Amino acid sequence: MKSHVKAVVIGGGVVGCSVLYHLAKAGWTDIMLIERSELTSGSSWHAAGGFHTLNGDPNVAKLQAYTVQLYKEIEEISGQSCSLHLTGGVMMADTPERMDFLRLAHAKGRYLGMDTELITPSEAKAMFPLMDETNFVGAMWDPVEGHLDPSGTTIAYSKAAKKLGAEIVLRNRVVDLTQQPDGTWNVVTEQGTVHAEHVVNCGGLWAREIGRMVGVELPVLAMEHMYLLTEPMPEVEEFNKSTGREMIGVLDFKGEIYTRQERNGILLGTYEKACKPWSPVNTPWDFGHELLPPDLDRIAPSLEIGFKHFPGIEKAGIKQIINGPFTFALDGNPLVGPVQGLTNFWCACAVMAGFSQGGGVGLALSNWMVHGDPGFDVWGMDVARFGEWAGLRYTNAKVRENYSRRFSIRFPNEELPAARPAQTTPLYDTMLANNAVMGDSWGLETPLWFAPKGKEPKDIVSFHRSNDFGPIGEEVRATREKVGVTEIANFAKYEVSGPGAEDFLNRLMTNRMPKIGRIVLTPMINEFGKLIGDFTIAKAGEDRFMIWGSSAAQKYHMRWFEKHLPKDGPRGSAVRIHRFDQTLVGLSIAGPKSRDLLQKLVDVDISTEAFRFMDFREMAVGGAPCMVNRITYTGDLGYEIWMAPAYQRLVYRQIKEAGEEFGLVDFGMRALLSMRLEKNFPTWFRELRPIYGPFEGSMDRFIKLEKNDFIGREAAAKEQAEGPKLRRVSFIVDAADADVMGDEPIWAKVSKDYGTVEKPHGYGAPRFDDQGKEVRGSQAAEGASAVRGIVDGDWRVVGWVTSGGYAHYVQKSMAQGYVPAALAEDESAGLFEIEILGHRRPARINVEAPFDPSGEKMRT
């Protein structure tokens, strides 16, 4: 075993071996994988081995598609077979709501280049004759699904990595990790200490314990997962013989089961409601190639439905029941990337779908480590997406909820209850008393909308406009015409101070820093010129700046801030960053009467001349010390008022009392987001993401190329000089009773192929009828009007929706998204359509904001 290497990968499952292979492929050959036992000793060896490309996050789906495509490559390099069975698979819908979900998934697949089809239950039965098709209303076919040999695939990764120069050390547990003053690591093992520049936690079932070695509590929990294998079935053998192919994989939402052929029988697995965590506090180090006792009673309700839906399986004998643990994060996606607060400590864990995602995780992480950027939009997997509130008990409750809902629909207006409330502001009880429907905003309870008096404050979940539609409209109209108040504690808040603060921020941000008492809006880009932040910055003093941003990105941004803190020279130690989190809370008042209201609560002049648009001032509001920004996300006249939590109830009460004469209303986050739509304002992690350049994001006026050499300036200048390929645009959509939710394809009636649609799949599996003939272009499921593919006559998929909804004051359904730059200013009618729940709706670009396009109201 070497004593010094560039990187140590801890854990020899499929993810660890993938990371090792990708690092070696990227040129880092002085690397070592250390495994406590044998390769695949954790969860990999007993996995069901299925793979698919579909994911709720299209960016994760791209990496899953890459993973499937990768298997032929590692087979060729390693000489080791993965036993790849590319059978294709179907998702079965038993209700109209689940069919809507499949229409959404099918639409997402269009701009990803996925070859999915909406098909009838009878067509699905032809590929899996063990089902009773009368239980279903439709299905979606995906040719890029299948299964493989988990152990063989892991070995293929490891052999390929070793051929490229990597070292693998088995039967050698890591017992401690210590970081040196220069940021390097001592990896203490049973066989000695290895000195490494980088450490990667691919510990799987033990990832939590490895994190604890460096003082990090990762939000990960292992769950028991069961699947059963049947005895050989004559029906399966007959199907194989008559068609010359395997049965496909099937996912049944209602039964919470998945099933596929395994040898001459069937494999059937469940994600049961009565789920069970495994070792919820500590994972025993001596656990190895072992299985857990089966518990058929726990999965009996799923099996009962499964046997009804697939009566051919009910008669089969059970050959084996597999019950083994594997790990989940809170939302079911992996934890990948550098850990904030540590140097060169990386995670690639909680990859519950290791054979769908392992290759993509390895690629993204190796890119990140070698080149400084993952090369993809990996926010859905970034370890920084969870905050300190995601502790052990919170994680255990949330993972159980996620597991039990693995095959459940998540509606766009659905708020999940587990582990809530976790964080609350002083106004939480007051908001509940005001009939607020609360939502979870990065672990914080935040008012979404207010139900009318006498009505239950509860969302009726739906893909269509729901019971919040009317009340949100009233909140918006009252705010636009009079004045409204909302809680904004869910914003991120930072203070950057010290003699080097302004130089530091000028280096990070694309806009110039403001003068004392003034505010600027500014993006932040990485060295590749991609958007990684969007901030409001106020200069509160000579060496003091207040910063506001996206709450969900707090650890993501702190990681970037810390990485770029100056380390040398007399000014190096003179930059201090403080993240407030919930030690600073806020309220926003907005609308034409907001100045009149605020003037009653302060003892200074806040007239237009005295307190201008984009001014910042510290003042007492209702007697409480506050910081006030003359700006709001509504795009109307308004103010953000920030205070310590001890003063929030006082300030809110004073606002409510003073606002009675002006017709003050409470409004929630959904009304705020509706108002930002009619101003064409973007949101972070929807419109503004690290795959877009600042000019693509239409942030041109905030990019000051002539100022100092900020990070990413050269890349931004190149984007401007060459012209952005894409542009963020705003649409008015001729919607019916459902608005866009995000990730819908944008169609255009154009003859040119703009090349915006990616084709991630290197190969696909055809579909056959019951005579074994290949079937192409099948009829869509009933009610689905969208044509399969990305080209339909003169129409092409040219872009995708990032977010949208109903803009209540202008009474328009709106969407934002990205289209080729050449089309971005074409406001012609009949040029665009946006696919909503399987129906293509006419859409028109709206270059100017439909509400107050000149910005006069917010400047008044």
Side-chain angles (χ1 to χ4, degrees):
M1 185 174 72
K2 294 179 182 176
S3 60
H4 291 76
V5 293
K6 190 170 187 67
V8 166
V9 177
I10 304 174
V14 65
V15 176
C17 290
S18 172
V19 169
L20 190 74
Y21 166 70
H22 282 92
L23 283 173
K25 185 179 177 182
W28 283 17
T29 55
D30 184 21
I31 54 178
M32 177 187 295
L33 183 148
I34 301 176
E35 161 58 38
R36 51 175 274 286
S37 181
E38 308 292 338
L39 297 181
T40 77
S41 290
S43 299
S44 296
W45 74 273
H46 61 70
F51 60 81
H52 56 274
T53 54
L54 192 70
N55 188 282
D57 184 328
N59 298 289
V60 176
K62 289 181 184 180
L63 290 173
Q64 293 184 187
Y66 165 81
T67 300
V68 177
Q69 196 173 8
L70 178 67
Y71 289 132
K72 286 190 175 181
E73 175 184 314
I74 62 171
E75 282 184 330
E76 291 171 1
I77 295 173
S78 67
Q80 168 74 44
S81 171
C82 297
S83 296
L84 195 69
H85 296 252
L86 196 65
T87 61
V90 291
M91 292 184 172
M92 305 301 301
D94 66 303
T95 64
E97 290 77 17
R98 287 192 172 96
M99 199 63 219
D100 277 344
F101 171 79
L102 293 184
R103 292 187 183 102
L104 282 170
H106 176 56
K108 288 180 182 180
R110 290 196 193 280
Y111 71 80
L112 293 173
M114 295 174 67
D115 295 323
T116 60
E117 281 189 80
L118 297 176
I119 64 174
T120 64
S122 296
E123 290 178 296
K125 181 182 175 66
M127 296 182 280
F128 195 84
L130 301 176
M131 76 169 63
D132 177 358
E133 76 276 20
T134 62
N135 292 294
F136 305 103
V137 299
M140 186 178 78
W141 160 255
D142 182 358
V144 190
E145 289 192 13
H147 59 97
L148 44 67
D149 171 26
S151 294
T153 301
T154 306
I155 298 301
Y157 275 122
S158 69
K159 285 184 175 180
K162 283 169 36 175
K163 282 193 173 184
L164 293 173
E167 180 180 0
I168 295 178
V169 179
L170 302 179
R171 297 174 290 282
N172 184 29
R173 182 165 72 88
V174 173
V175 296
D176 198 11
L177 295 167
T178 60
Q179 192 160 32
Q180 305 306 297
D182 63 356
T184 59
W185 292 90
N186 282 333
V187 183
V188 184
T189 78
E190 293 171 330
Q191 297 177 15
T193 298
V194 181
H195 187 74
E197 291 181 39
H198 300 262
V199 171
V200 188
N201 180 359
C202 298
L205 295 174
W206 295 270
R208 182 178 51 189
E209 278 65 30
I210 294 167
R212 288 170 181 167
M213 292 179 185
V214 298
V216 173
E217 185 69 35
L218 291 170
V220 60
L221 173 68
M223 300 294 294
E224 293 191 15
H225 180 69
M226 270 182 284
Y227 62 88
L228 57 87
L229 301 172
T230 73
E231 300 282 357
M233 296 175 60
E235 300 94 324
V236 174
E237 295 173 340
E238 173 57 31
F239 181 86
N240 298 158
K241 182 179 178 181
S242 63
T243 65
R245 56 190 172 85
E246 278 188 74
M247 287 188 179
I248 62 169
V250 180
L251 189 155
D252 177 8
F253 289 105
K254 175 68 173 177
E256 297 157 341
I257 60 176
Y258 58 91
T259 186
R260 63 164 174 84
Q261 183 175 337
E262 173 70 16
R263 298 185 183 275
N264 296 325
I266 291 294
L267 179 152
L268 186 149
T270 71
Y271 283 89
E272 67 281 1
K273 297 293 185 193
C275 57
K276 184 178 179 182
W278 179 76
S279 292
V281 178
N282 297 290
T283 305
W285 287 105
D286 59 356
F287 184 80
H289 277 75
E290 303 157 45
L291 291 174
L292 306 174
D295 184 0
L296 280 178
D297 288 342
R298 200 171 77 241
I299 64 173
S302 293
L303 293 179
E304 185 177 345
I305 297 172
F307 292 151
K308 177 185 175 185
H309 288 184
F310 304 96
I313 301 177
E314 184 177 15
K315 311 170 210 169
I318 298 176
K319 180 173 68 174
Q320 187 179 8
I321 299 171
I322 308 294
N323 185 21
F326 67 115
T327 55
F328 280 80
L330 311 185
D331 56 5
N333 275 339
L335 300 173
V336 179
V339 174
Q340 186 251 320
L342 297 173
T343 303
N344 292 342
F345 184 84
W346 307 80
C347 278
C349 51
V351 189
M352 57 76 53
F355 296 96
S356 293
Q357 299 173 341
V361 166
L363 175 66
L365 190 66
S366 66
N367 283 342
W368 213 334
M369 294 174 69
V370 175
H371 304 298
D373 186 84
F376 303 88
D377 185 349
V378 297
W379 172 249
M381 301 192 298
D382 197 320
V383 67
R385 71 189 185 273
F386 299 117
E388 294 82 359
W389 40 269
L392 185 64
R393 293 193 178 190
Y394 184 97
T395 295
N396 288 352
K398 215 65 183 171
V399 169
R400 286 197 297 270
E401 178 183 64
N402 177 272
Y403 184 98
S404 70
R405 292 178 49 87
R406 182 70 180 164
F407 291 157
S408 299
I409 296 171
R410 177 72 184 268
F411 291 94
N413 64 333
E414 185 173 14
E415 294 288 327
L416 302 182
R420 294 176 55 196
Q423 296 181 91
T424 60
T425 71
L427 291 179
Y428 176 68
D429 293 338
T430 302
M431 293 295 127
L432 292 180
N434 290 350
N435 233 22
V437 177
M438 305 298 286
D440 178 354
S441 176
W442 210 59
L444 176 70
E445 295 296 313
T446 300
L448 300 176
W449 61 283
F450 293 84
K453 188 175 292 187
K455 297 285 187 180
E456 183 182 8
K458 181 180 180 181
D459 276 314
I460 297 175
V461 296
S462 175
F463 289 118
H464 301 260
R465 293 173 188 164
S466 189
N467 62 319
D468 63 347
F469 188 81
I472 291 172
E474 291 300 318
E475 292 170 23
V476 169
R477 283 185 286 275
T479 300
R480 287 282 193 229
E481 294 171 3
K482 296 176 184 178
V483 61
V485 59
T486 192
E487 191 172 22
I488 52 173
N490 60 327
F491 289 19
K493 293 88 59 176
Y494 314 89
E495 181 182 72
V496 177
S497 61
E502 186 153 356
D503 289 345
F504 172 69
L505 291 174
N506 263 319
R507 174 74 176 140
L508 262 61
M509 306 296 171
T510 65
N511 206 346
R512 296 186 186 90
M513 289 303 100
K515 297 178 180 179
I516 292 177
R518 293 290 288 164
I519 295 168
V520 297
L521 305 178
T522 179
M524 183 170 70
I525 60 178
N526 62 20
E527 55 266 54
F528 304 98
K530 300 302 182 183
L531 288 161
I532 59 168
D534 182 43
F535 300 98
T536 300
I537 300 182
K539 189 169 185 179
E542 187 59 43
D543 297 317
R544 176 172 166 253
F545 293 83
M546 292 297 302
I547 304 178
W548 292 269
S550 168
S551 63
Q554 288 182 61
K555 299 199 82 170
Y556 174 88
H557 286 144
M558 282 298 294
R559 186 173 65 194
W560 185 261
F561 295 158
E562 290 169 357
K563 178 180 178 179
H564 293 283
L565 275 173
K567 297 178 176 63
D568 301 316
R571 301 171 74 86
S573 60
V575 178
R576 297 178 297 276
I577 303 175
H578 174 67
R579 176 183 143 218
F580 287 96
D581 203 7
Q582 294 312 309
T583 62
L584 185 69
V585 294
L587 297 163
S588 177
I589 56 173
K593 297 294 184 183
S594 58
R595 178 185 290 111
D596 297 335
L597 192 163
L598 184 60
Q599 186 65 79
K600 293 182 65 175
L601 302 179
V602 300
D603 301 315
V604 296
D605 182 8
I606 59 167
S607 64
T608 303
E609 298 76 19
F611 196 35
R612 301 165 296 164
F613 177 60
M614 302 289 278
D615 268 358
F616 165 90
R617 189 178 299 178
E618 295 183 79
M619 63 177 79
V621 178
C626 296
M627 293 179 286
V628 183
N629 297 331
R630 202 193 135 180
I631 188 173
T632 78
Y633 196 39
T634 66
D636 216 321
L637 173 66
Y639 306 85
E640 293 175 354
I641 308 168
W642 301 96
M643 72 289 294
Y647 295 107
Q648 192 187 30
R649 291 172 69 91
L650 169 65
V651 175
Y652 177 75
R653 187 179 72 246
Q654 298 270 357
I655 288 172
K656 291 286 283 186
E657 292 173 357
E660 284 187 17
E661 67 176 280
F662 304 112
L664 176 74
V665 298
D666 287 291
F667 69 94
M669 282 295 118
R670 290 182 185 166
L672 181 63
L673 292 174
S674 172
M675 287 185 274
R676 71 94 186 175
L677 280 175
E678 49 199 27
K679 286 293 294 179
N680 291 357
F681 288 166
T683 59
W684 181 244
F685 284 127
R686 296 301 303 181
E687 284 72 47
L688 309 179
R689 297 186 70 131
I691 51 174
Y692 305 122
F695 297 99
E696 288 181 323
S698 300
M699 306 293 282
D700 310 39
R701 63 193 173 143
F702 306 118
I703 315 300
K704 307 301 183 185
L705 294 173
E706 68 279 8
K707 82 180 187 84
N708 67 300
D709 186 23
F710 57 86
I711 294 171
R713 182 192 175 281
E714 184 177 337
K718 182 179 179 183
E719 182 192 359
Q720 184 192 51
E722 295 178 353
K725 294 182 175 64
L726 303 174
R727 272 285 192 173
R728 175 178 64 87
V729 294
S730 182
F731 288 95
I732 292 176
V733 188
D734 182 13
D737 68 336
D739 304 294
V740 302
M741 289 160 265
D743 300 322
E744 293 89 351
I746 300 169
W747 294 78
K749 195 172 186 180
V750 292
S751 57
K752 179 180 176 182
D753 182 0
Y754 287 92
T756 59
V757 178
E758 298 185 29
K759 188 72 172 177
H761 304 139
Y763 50 88
R767 188 166 55 80
F768 301 88
D769 63 19
D770 52 5
Q771 276 78 47
K773 292 179 62 178
E774 185 175 350
V775 177
R776 304 296 296 171
S778 68
Q779 293 180 344
E782 185 178 352
S785 63
V787 177
R788 178 180 181 271
I790 60 172
V791 179
D792 174 20
D794 294 333
W795 291 86
R796 292 176 181 270
V797 173
V798 297
W800 53 91
V801 169
T802 50
S803 71
Y806 195 77
H808 285 269
Y809 195 68
V810 299
Q811 297 183 20
K812 303 287 184 185
S813 183
M814 297 192 68
Q816 290 192 39
Y818 281 82
V819 299
L823 300 176
E825 295 186 5
D826 194 332
E827 297 184 279
S828 304
L831 177 60
F832 292 102
E833 293 180 344
I834 294 178
E835 190 172 339
I836 302 176
L837 295 177
H839 298 270
R840 283 164 37 188
R841 310 295 305 185
R844 179 174 56 83
I845 284 180
N846 201 65
V847 174
E848 288 196 329
F851 176 79
D852 188 29
S854 67
E856 180 183 350
K857 291 182 182 295
M858 58 186 178
R859 290 179 171 84
T860 301

